[in-house]
Amino acid sequence: MTSFVPTVKGNKDARFELIASIHKVANVIKWKELLPNGEDSEDLVKQLAISCPLQKIRTTAPPPNPDIDRKINLICKEAQVLYEAEMHSIRRNLSKQSYKAIRELKEPRGSGHIRISVSDKGGDFVVITQQLDKQIALRGLANRNMYELATVSEFNSFCKEIKIIWETVKKRSSVNDELAKRLSINHPVCRVIYFLLKTHKIDAANINTNDLSAFKVRPIVSAVGGPAEGTSWFLS
């Protein structure tokens, strides 16, 4: 099996995002350089604030660090040189068979007829019809030992419980106000579940079957923006 990624032309937006990402990493490094080597609770909270992936209320630039700034400037210059060289050319990294496969999948995917994803293990590409994908998902959700229906009021009640728990955790862990605000999800969204096919458990004879019992899946729950996102990150 061969993995591949279609190449695209470099553009100014992509270059800007790359340079911005480099400077974000540089800012994190600068802040870490300013941290003391102690292991008290205040130092640990500062380290958490730096590594927290959730959006900051406001961004404060760290003071200049000549050594780090020099290295970052060199990296940015090299990145810009590479982008200038690649902006006007595309290198083909796909075989003719791969190009043909992409062209054949482009139209049905755009029309919503098929779904393209990856498998649970092995990195296989999975191409199935939207109808079959929905049937597999509904079959997985039919397991009442694991899933159950919830109303909007129940979800809101759960969000309130999480907020109360977070207030307790915050007081006991001496989290400062800025980090506490970043970890508090004021407008949570419902978690999203999707299923990855276990292609390594599909017999070769059933590779093209529509029999739902032939498919084994792994449920994946995305809790990004959920009521417990900040709390779970902090406790982990």
Side-chain angles (χ1 to χ4, degrees):
M1 184 190 69
T2 302
S3 298
F4 60 87
V5 177
T7 57
V8 296
K9 281 187 177 181
N11 53 48
K12 293 182 179 180
D13 292 337
R15 180 174 59 182
F16 175 80
E17 290 180 5
L18 174 62
I19 300 301
S21 298
I22 294 174
H23 281 287
K24 286 180 181 178
V25 173
N27 287 343
V28 172
I29 296 174
K30 289 179 184 178
W31 281 121
K32 286 187 176 181
E33 288 292 322
L34 296 175
L35 288 177
N37 296 324
E39 294 294 335
D40 56 32
S41 59
E42 185 176 352
D43 293 342
L44 293 176
V45 169
K46 289 180 180 179
Q47 293 177 16
L48 282 173
I50 291 175
S51 59
C52 179
L54 301 179
Q55 186 66 37
K56 285 187 176 182
I57 304 300
R58 62 181 183 275
T59 301
T60 304
N65 185 312
D67 183 49
I68 295 177
D69 289 338
R70 179 178 57 82
K71 295 176 181 178
I72 293 300
N73 287 335
L74 289 175
I75 294 174
C76 290
K77 287 181 180 179
E78 289 293 331
Q80 293 190 49
V81 170
L82 290 174
Y83 257 89
E84 288 293 336
E86 297 292 335
M87 279 184 66
H88 305 292
S89 65
I90 293 182
R91 296 180 181 177
R92 292 180 176 268
N93 65 346
L94 300 181
S95 64
K96 291 183 179 180
Q97 292 82 359
S98 298
Y99 271 111
K100 182 180 179 182
I102 289 178
R103 286 195 296 267
E104 291 176 351
L105 294 175
K106 186 175 181 180
E107 182 178 349
R109 182 178 183 272
S111 62
H113 179 64
I114 64 173
R115 176 176 180 262
I116 303 175
S117 64
V118 294
S119 64
D120 174 49
K121 293 181 180 179
D124 296 332
F125 287 97
V126 177
V127 181
I128 59 176
T129 63
Q130 288 278 8
Q131 181 181 3
L132 180 59
D133 181 50
K134 292 177 182 178
Q135 291 175 347
I136 293 173
L138 290 174
R139 184 173 182 269
L141 292 173
N143 183 357
R144 293 307 180 194
N145 293 325
M146 185 174 297
Y147 309 107
E148 64 178 7
L149 294 174
T151 63
V152 175
S153 60
E154 289 173 335
F155 176 74
N156 292 333
S157 177
F158 173 73
C159 293
K160 291 180 180 178
E161 290 181 16
I162 292 295
K163 193 171 184 179
I164 293 173
I165 293 173
W166 169 237
E167 290 296 329
T168 303
V169 172
K170 182 175 64 175
K171 292 178 181 178
R172 292 181 179 179
S173 56
S174 302
V175 176
N176 59 42
D177 292 339
E178 181 180 355
L179 180 58
K181 289 179 180 179
R182 290 171 62 186
L183 295 176
S184 299
I185 309 298
N186 296 322
H187 303 286
V189 297
C190 187
R191 289 170 290 183
V192 178
I193 187 171
Y194 58 96
F195 298 90
L196 297 181
L197 284 179
K198 297 183 177 182
T199 54
H200 59 287
K201 292 189 176 182
I202 300 178
D203 296 333
N206 295 327
I207 194 68
N208 293 319
T209 184
N210 288 329
D211 183 7
L212 298 180
S213 62
F215 299 104
K216 307 299 181 183
V217 296
R218 179 180 297 279
I220 305 294
V221 179
S222 173
V224 176
E229 181 184 11
T231 308
S232 59
W233 177 86
F234 180 78
L235 295 177
S236 63

